[in-house]
Amino acid sequence: MAEQYYYALGSVLAIVMATGLLYNLLGKRNGRGEGNAAAAANATTTTTTTTEISGVYRSKKDVDVIIVGAGVAGAALAHTLGKDGRRVYVIERDLSEPDRIVGELLQPGGYLKLIELGLQDCVEEIDAQRVFGYALFKDGRNTLLSYPLEKFHSDVSGRSFHNGRFIQKMREKAATLANVRLEQGTVTSLLEEKGTIKGVQYKNKNGEEVSAYAPLTIVCDGCFSNLRKSLCKPKVDVPSCFVGLILENCELPYVNHGHVILADPSPILFYKISSTEIRCLVDVPGQKVPSISNGEMAKYLKTMVAPQIPPQLQDSFIAAIDRGNIRTMLNRSMPAAPHPTPGALLMGDAFNMRHPLTGGGMTVALSDIVVLRDLLRPLLDLNDAPTLCRYLESFYTLRKPVASTINTLAGALYKVFCASPDQALKEMRQACFDYLSLGGVCSQGPVSLLSGLNPRPSSLVVHFFAVAIYGVGRLLLPFPSPKRMWIGAKLISGASGIILPIIKAEGVRQMFFPATVPAYYRAPPVH
């Protein structure tokens, strides 16, 4: 029944949105590119030591906001709110440099948000590499997909780097503000009184139990958050695992581009994270990977993965396996399903996750910070928790266009890029590769969505079903047969079954019609 439902609904959507494109897709290989994202405002990077908010001076012992976690979201938020004059107290479990295998690629849309927040210098002096697009490989063929950056300043591009270096730079910048305090400690619980969060309980470096209080507590403690369950519906899906390696002393086939190999059973990623290192991420479907300790992983990588990667990378790939520094990480996906709670807010991976295939996580986090900053700026007093909570419900609506576009694209692309024995899904995968290879609007449109430069859900749906219609058209031309028509029908059904559940989880109304949500129009409370 579910398949029939998705087929029927998908057929209607496909006909409405993509029939008009079919002629162009099959007959024309060039189009006018998109790229209608506005340039980010040049935010000042001057640090402030004042305690003035809207002309009123606060006592130095006051704390306006507690931030739990000082990763990408927490550190950027601390600097942003501190620069606006808020007294910010950040509690981070470990202030030493993190060592992760993800969070290493910042899309151009995320870099624009970094500029808007005055944090663009945090990608300097960490050997970050500029990224101008992607190279896509499949069955011995490849195509180059460049970001549509023509309308932006020459400095605007993607950036790839060591995640820990980037985070340390942002922590250091936040710590330069006199009204921002960072402390190492493990938050164990939220302090609640009559349904309102008053602060947090944490253990400091000495193991002492300490309580901290503030009108607003923002939880940014990452994908392993132990606090999210009280602030949202934590339905976490684990579609796959990443196996991470670092290749040394080699060059990618296309300089300054990420590389995506549509391998069997699922994609393989390569991108530079320093001038001498290339990150490789091998996706393994499911929650279990071959054992590293008994050599099964090395055997799997050498026999199953190595033959599928570009020949110029194979020797360095084998050498990286032999060095033995193989890392694994579960890939998590969690739609944003908040419980609006007076005195508290969730952000970052504690709140919303998507498959890391498209590298959109940091872009979503930084975009969320811009939204929250703009909402909080008019407010002098944060102490009226119920009123503030009701006002901040607009945050969940205003963030949707960017977040839901990136979330949906990540989930849909991962499913399309994975190999499948089903003939219809094979056709969808091939159609996606060929559609992107057409160039013009067929490549620039999807890449502008991927890069965060054009975060429009309607554009995402149009291109997704255009790929499906393109695949059906290839099956039916020049002469349709009953078998090909059946495969085409299954292709539409499969495409609908991929994207529609993701859209449903994101929220159709909030995603496509945010202006119809009452919270969209909430005005700042006046005191």
Side-chain angles (χ1 to χ4, degrees), residues 103-370:
E104 298 174 316
L105 177 63
L106 180 66
Q107 296 286 3
Y111 182 74
L112 288 173
K113 296 300 180 183
L114 211 62
I115 295 173
E116 194 170 348
L117 295 170
L119 290 166
Q120 67 271 30
D121 56 342
C122 291
V123 296
E124 298 173 2
E125 299 178 358
I126 60 172
D127 200 14
Q129 305 296 299
R130 301 188 71 184
V131 181
F132 295 108
Y134 285 88
L136 195 61
F137 293 75
K138 184 180 185 298
D139 299 332
R141 295 174 55 204
N142 64 79
T143 187
L144 199 62
L145 309 173
S146 297
Y147 295 138
L149 300 173
E150 298 81 7
K151 295 183 178 180
F152 298 98
H153 186 274
S154 60
D155 189 52
V156 175
S157 67
R159 294 291 195 281
S160 54
F161 39 67
H162 280 271
N163 172 268
R165 297 176 187 174
F166 178 55
I167 287 176
Q168 288 300 88
K169 289 281 284 187
M170 288 203 292
R171 288 174 178 173
E172 291 167 7
K173 185 155 187 178
T176 62
L177 300 177
N179 49 333
V180 175
R181 176 188 170 195
L182 276 73
E183 180 175 350
Q184 185 164 300
T186 302
V187 174
T188 54
S189 64
L190 299 171
L191 298 176
E192 182 179 343
E193 181 181 316
K194 296 180 180 179
T196 297
I197 303 302
K198 298 293 186 179
V200 298
Q201 187 88 12
Y202 70 97
K203 285 186 178 180
N204 62 18
K205 285 195 298 184
N206 300 324
E208 300 165 334
E209 289 281 351
V210 183
S211 298
Y213 298 90
L216 180 61
T217 299
I218 302 178
V219 176
C220 307
D221 56 347
C223 63
F224 300 107
S225 174
N226 64 336
L227 303 177
R228 71 157 65 97
K229 60 182 179 292
S230 59
L231 300 174
C232 76
K233 300 174 184 176
K235 186 179 179 181
V236 180
D237 181 38
V238 182
S240 67
C241 300
F242 266 160
V243 179
L245 298 163
I246 289 183
L247 281 59
E248 298 177 348
N249 303 315
C250 63
E251 290 295 332
L252 291 168
Y254 294 95
V255 178
N256 296 115
H257 284 72
H259 289 53
V260 182
I261 291 85
L262 302 190
D264 187 0
S266 50
I268 305 166
L269 308 179
F270 292 93
Y271 49 89
K272 294 197 76 170
I273 56 173
S274 75
S275 54
T276 60
E277 298 165 301
I278 294 173
R279 168 65 70 195
C280 171
L281 293 172
V282 179
D283 186 85
V284 179
Q287 299 184 28
K288 291 185 178 181
V289 296
S291 171
I292 296 175
S293 59
N294 66 11
E296 289 182 2
M297 177 64 78
K299 181 180 178 182
Y300 173 81
L301 294 174
K302 288 181 179 180
T303 58
M304 298 294 295
V305 178
Q308 300 187 71
I309 68 175
Q312 55 266 60
L313 297 175
Q314 290 182 2
D315 289 344
S316 296
F317 183 76
I318 298 297
I321 298 169
D322 291 338
R323 282 196 300 273
N325 187 22
I326 303 173
R327 308 267 302 279
T328 63
M329 186 203 76
L330 294 175
N331 293 326
R332 294 171 173 83
S333 177
M334 184 181 73
H339 294 309
T341 305
L345 196 70
L346 268 174
M347 292 193 71
D349 283 348
F351 174 48
N352 184 203
M353 293 179 281
R354 75 291 309 149
H355 195 286
L357 171 69
T358 58
M362 289 188 288
T363 300
V364 172
L366 294 170
S367 176
D368 283 355
I369 291 170
V370 171

